[in-house]
Amino acid sequence: MASVQAFYPERGTEKMSELTKNVQPLQDFNWDEYENGTVANVSKEELDKAYDETLNKVADHQVVEGKVISVDKKEVVVNIGYKSDGIIPATEFRYNPDLKEGDVVEVYVESAEDKKGQLLLSHKKARLSKAWDRVNEALDKEEIVQGFIKCRTKGGMIVDVFGIEAFLPGSQIDVHPIRDYDQFVGKTMEFKIVKINQEFRNVVVSHKALIEQELEAQKQEIISKLEKGQILEGTVKNITSYGVFVDLGGVDGLVHITDLSWGRVDDPKKVVELDQKINVVILDFDEEKKRIALGLKQLTPHPWDALDPNLKVGDHIHGKVVVIADYGAFVEVQPGVEGLIHVSEMSWSQHLRSAQEFLKVGDEVEAVILTLDRDERKMSLGIKQLKEDPWEAIDVKYPVGSKHKAKVRNFTNFGVFVELEEGVDGLIEGGRAHRRRGTRHRQGEPSPQPWPQAAGGESLGCFRG
């Protein structure tokens, strides 16, 4: 009665009769059997056996399935149909952030009953016991698996797949180059197993392979809608020495280095940056090979169209040497407009030499326009024209009968070729050439004095090549 009053202190003794008036004693309860450990002619051992039959048969060191009863930040409670539930650290399920009550999971029975009578379970060991078979099956069936990215390592990441540490190469994280691997640590992602080394039990996974499968269909759709001349927005994905790869939203195109600018480009990084948003024009594409040629310079007017309309042959211009070869040098008059100075237009001399002897890349030069074709967008230039043609005043500078020093250029059977100055060569015929006794003259050496004088109306034999 005191216990009842403890629960209902507000009620008096008179109220207790109302609470117990309907309680009837068990007429057939055998207190003697209860005290002897038997009830209704059934022994306690029989009752224990009947109870045990309602439970699952559980043996130590086996893998069974269980049902998640509760989930919190520290523990996961799993019921395997045994006398007690098992408690598993939540860290063993971190690869599965979507775990919830009611989910069925595999667990490893470490002990059906420890010293305290507690059921000891491990989800991690259950995964490991079947992990290798699952990994091989996933590879054979090309299944998608979930993995938890544990940490970064040299060249990639370490991923927990079925409890096995697999390697995720940096090139297989995404279709785009990844520069910050740390942003993926601690994330659960889907992967495809791409390689297994059975001997060393190494597993390689790829997330990029899954993205590529999705993008393949997108690529086909995008390419089918492409048209030459179409202008699209893209993102600079990669920069190489020969051009720039641009992501057009699932499919990549290449802007060749020659299509980045109307001017000469020696380094594409000087024109664009990684992850930069740019507009490009479709120059060409191949649906079968899935190749797309893009252009950037085509979005701006051609520099030749903006060339001074008053510019004409004979005008003097200034420019910078951008390319040099044996046959001549290309001079940039303005970005995208170049002219060629042929080696023969660099000096009045007739002795063939290479353009490198006159100019080098980066030189600022003044030149004269020799030809100008706006339709073909070609221009030829000359620098020797900045000087007077030495043959224009040949009669004044080298009159008949005058004496001069000259440089021996060549010996022939019929005479000696000498150079009076750059662009002016002369021939001393065999009968007129004289040498001092015991002296030989080599090509390039000054000839000796005195030179023979022209007499009787004979002139110095000269020629212009």
Side-chain angles (χ1 to χ4, degrees):
M1 182 66 69
S3 62
V4 175
Q5 288 179 337
F7 284 96
Y8 301 95
E10 73 282 359
R11 299 180 180 181
T13 306
E14 67 279 2
K15 297 291 184 178
M16 295 306 300
S17 59
E18 296 180 7
L19 298 173
T20 60
K21 64 181 180 179
N22 294 324
V23 177
Q24 300 296 326
L26 295 173
Q27 300 296 330
D28 58 349
F29 187 78
N30 190 328
W31 291 99
D32 294 333
E33 289 182 351
Y34 176 77
E35 291 177 356
N36 294 331
T38 60
V39 178
N41 298 321
V42 178
S43 67
K44 184 178 179 181
E45 290 75 14
E46 291 176 322
L47 287 174
D48 290 341
K49 182 180 180 181
Y51 172 70
D52 289 340
E53 289 177 352
T54 65
L55 304 175
N56 290 333
K57 302 297 181 181
V58 176
D60 291 352
H61 312 303
Q62 71 174 14
V63 177
V64 298
E65 287 188 344
K67 186 176 182 180
V68 177
I69 302 302
S70 66
V71 180
D72 61 31
K73 293 183 178 180
K74 293 184 178 181
E75 299 173 337
V76 175
V77 180
V78 178
N79 177 16
I80 63 171
Y82 197 55
K83 288 185 291 185
S84 61
D85 296 333
I87 300 175
I88 303 174
T91 55
E92 295 191 16
F93 294 92
R94 62 183 179 181
Y95 73 92
N96 183 11
D98 298 325
L99 185 72
K100 61 184 182 301
E101 293 182 13
D103 286 353
V104 176
V105 296
E106 289 187 337
V107 293
Y108 176 83
V109 181
E110 295 189 75
S111 176
E113 215 173 307
D114 65 1
K115 294 180 181 179
K116 297 181 180 180
Q118 179 64 48
L119 173 65
L120 299 182
L121 303 176
S122 172
H123 179 62
K124 181 178 180 180
K125 290 184 178 180
R127 295 177 70 211
L128 284 172
S129 65
K130 295 185 176 181
W132 195 248
D133 293 336
R134 285 188 176 182
V135 164
N136 282 279
E137 183 181 359
L139 176 65
D140 295 337
K141 296 183 179 180
E142 297 185 351
E143 293 179 357
I144 297 175
V145 298
Q146 277 199 334
F148 176 79
I149 301 179
K150 299 176 64 176
C151 60
R152 65 174 297 174
T153 186
K154 183 178 180 181
M157 318 287 289
I158 298 298
V159 182
D160 181 343
V161 178
F162 301 140
I164 294 177
E165 289 191 347
F167 177 60
L168 171 64
S171 61
Q172 295 299 313
I173 298 176
D174 203 337
V175 293
H176 305 290
I178 300 298
R179 292 180 286 278
D180 181 16
Y181 290 177
D182 292 333
Q183 62 179 309
F184 295 96
V185 175
K187 289 186 177 182
T188 298
M189 300 171 61
E190 291 184 335
F191 299 96
K192 184 177 181 181
I193 298 173
V194 294
K195 185 179 180 181
I196 295 178
N197 187 313
Q198 301 291 347
E199 181 181 356
F200 297 101
R201 296 221 162 188
N202 293 332
V203 180
V204 180
V205 297
S206 171
H207 181 67
K208 177 182 177 181
L210 300 180
I211 301 176
E212 287 177 336
Q213 289 178 354
E214 298 176 1
L215 292 179
E216 192 61 32
Q218 296 180 18
K219 285 182 181 180
Q220 200 63 39
E221 182 179 357
I222 292 174
I223 293 179
S224 65
K225 296 179 180 179
L226 292 180
E227 296 179 3
K228 291 183 181 181
Q230 186 178 6
I231 299 175
L232 300 174
E233 184 184 56
T235 305
V236 177
K237 175 180 177 181
N238 192 20
I239 301 176
T240 68
S241 60
Y242 55 86
V244 176
F245 287 94
V246 179
D247 181 6
L248 300 177
V251 61
D252 293 344
L254 173 65
V255 183
H256 194 267
I257 189 171
T258 57
D259 290 311
L260 285 172
S261 171
W262 290 113
R264 291 184 182 269
V265 178
D266 57 351
D267 185 0
K269 292 181 181 179
K270 295 180 181 179
V271 181
V272 296
E273 298 177 350
L274 282 175
D275 300 325
Q276 180 182 346
K277 299 281 187 181
I278 59 174
N279 288 329
V280 291
V281 61
I282 306 296
L283 301 181
D284 200 1
F285 59 91
D286 187 327
E287 290 191 33
E288 293 183 1
K289 296 182 179 179
K290 297 181 177 60
R291 293 179 180 174
I292 305 174
L294 305 174
L296 183 62
K297 71 180 184 181
Q298 289 79 3
L299 297 176
T300 58
H302 198 291
W304 271 88
D305 298 335
L307 189 64
D308 186 355
N310 297 320
L311 210 59
K312 61 184 182 300
V313 173
D315 286 350
H316 290 210
I317 58 172
H318 291 80
K320 182 179 181 181
V321 178
V322 290
V323 176
I324 197 160
D326 289 339
Y327 58 86
F330 289 92
V331 176
E332 186 178 59
V333 178
Q334 64 185 51
V337 178
E338 296 177 3
L340 172 64
I341 304 178
H342 194 270
V343 66
S344 63
E345 302 298 339
M346 294 182 179
S347 170
W348 290 109
S349 175
Q350 301 303 308
H351 303 289
L352 295 178
R353 290 185 282 181
S354 64
Q356 287 89 340
E357 296 183 38
F358 297 96
L359 300 169
K360 63 180 182 296
V361 174
D363 283 352
E364 299 286 343
V365 298
E366 180 183 2
V368 178
I369 299 177
L370 303 182
T371 64
L372 180 62
D373 190 334
R374 295 179 183 271
D375 294 332
E376 294 293 328
R377 293 170 177 168
K378 292 181 180 180
M379 181 190 305
S380 61
L381 307 173
I383 56 176
K384 74 179 184 181
Q385 290 78 7
L386 298 173
K387 301 178 182 179
E388 183 181 0
D389 185 346
W391 282 89
E392 295 290 335
I394 193 70
D395 294 333
V396 176
K397 197 169 184 180
Y398 301 104
V400 174
S402 60
K403 297 179 181 181
H404 304 277
K405 286 186 178 182
K407 183 182 290 186
V408 176
R409 280 295 183 184
N410 194 19
F411 289 106
T412 67
N413 293 331
F414 52 84
V416 179
F417 287 95
V418 296
E419 183 182 61
L420 296 173
E421 66 173 86
E422 184 178 310
V424 179
D425 290 353
L427 170 64
I428 303 177
E429 295 178 353
R432 295 186 176 276
H434 101 277
R435 302 178 182 176
R436 292 179 181 176
R437 189 172 184 181
T439 303
R440 300 188 65 182
H441 305 291
R442 297 180 181 177
Q443 183 174 338
E445 295 179 346
S447 59
Q449 287 291 341
W451 283 92
Q453 300 183 19
E458 295 178 357
S459 61
L460 181 67
C462 296
F463 79 100
R464 187 178 185 185

